[in-house]
Amino acid sequence: MSRTLAEAPSRAAELPGTWRIAPVSDPSVQILLEDLVREYHERYGDSLGGAPHSARDEVERYPAHRFEAPEGTFLIYEEDGEPLTGGAFMRFDESTAEVKRVWTRADQRGRRLAAATMARLEERARELGYSRIYLTTGPAQPEAVALYLRTGYTPGFDPEHYPANQVPHPFSKNLLTPDPGAHRAGQPIDPGAVAATPASSKEQIA
């Protein structure tokens, strides 16, 4: 069973469609996941960092209950019943939610839907008692790096030299107070000033 989220005074609230929390089995979530499999395979193929890689195995890595309250959420945005963007988070530790599966349909990119998704996920994470967000993105996803920098996330690497390697590139964000380590567009990066992040997850691509 899914439920509709009440609108909040944010960019997300200005959109004409509907945000809702849904289980992994929901048809719209399945559309999202299948498109992520396609996109990850196009970007990474069958290997990553010299090791065998399966996009489907990555997308299906975690059991569905990890994305359900009280520890997680899967969020979908729809217009006229069509899923256009969405994402999820699960428990990383007692105070930290780990964002996963952020997606926007290819023909809808440029509307800042992914930024709206991140704002909604952060709002929901605070509702569930989390004070921090952690996430990783892969070495072939520069659009994701730009999104997280633009929305106030602190990189655990020097984004001026992305990709730094062929392993996950971490970001974090304090949900309660501004993060002094957060990168701001147009400002130079001091790698020594980057805030520490939790130990890297095994996930190769978010």
Side-chain angles (χ1 to χ4, degrees):
M1 178 180 296
S2 65
R3 67 183 183 89
T4 301
L5 292 180
E7 294 296 350
S10 66
R11 175 178 294 274
E14 299 169 2
L15 295 169
T18 301
W19 295 90
R20 63 186 179 90
I21 294 169
V24 170
S25 59
D26 185 274
S28 287
V29 174
Q30 288 299 304
I31 289 172
L32 179 159
L33 295 175
E34 284 300 315
D35 200 50
L36 281 179
V37 170
R38 175 198 59 77
E39 183 161 347
Y40 289 170
H41 182 74
E42 289 179 358
R43 291 183 185 239
Y44 296 99
D46 298 320
S47 66
L48 183 62
H53 173 265
S54 165
R56 185 166 298 281
D57 287 351
E58 290 291 341
V59 169
E60 297 178 353
R61 177 186 294 270
Y62 302 104
H65 70 82
R66 297 286 302 276
F67 301 110
E68 297 174 357
E71 295 191 346
T73 288
F74 218 117
L75 183 63
I76 287 287
Y77 172 74
E78 296 168 316
E79 292 180 8
D80 298 322
E82 295 288 328
L84 302 187
T85 190
F89 64 80
M90 62 185 189
R91 185 180 189 273
F92 187 89
D93 61 31
E94 184 175 347
S95 61
T96 308
E98 182 173 6
V99 166
K100 313 296 292 184
R101 313 299 179 244
V102 176
W103 167 87
T104 298
R105 203 171 77 184
D107 64 345
Q108 297 295 314
R109 292 172 187 176
R111 294 181 59 191
R112 300 182 67 86
L113 294 178
T117 293
M118 293 303 297
R120 283 288 181 163
L121 290 173
E122 291 168 14
E123 177 186 337
R124 176 63 174 159
R126 281 190 289 266
E127 289 176 358
L128 294 183
Y130 292 112
S131 59
R132 196 163 187 259
I133 294 281
Y134 171 72
L135 60 87
T136 62
T137 194
Q141 294 169 254
E143 306 95 332
V145 171
L147 167 68
Y148 301 135
L149 293 177
R150 189 170 64 246
T151 52
Y153 281 76
T154 299
F157 61 96
D158 181 356
E160 301 297 331
H161 296 94
Y162 172 84
N165 46 48
Q166 294 298 305
V167 300
H169 289 62
F171 288 86
S172 63
K173 186 175 187 177
N174 188 324
L175 296 178
L176 303 183
T177 58
D179 191 333
H183 177 62
R184 288 167 176 77
Q187 294 185 347
I189 292 291
D190 176 3
V194 173
T197 60
S200 176
S201 98
K202 296 180 180 179
E203 180 78 1
Q204 296 296 303
I205 46 184

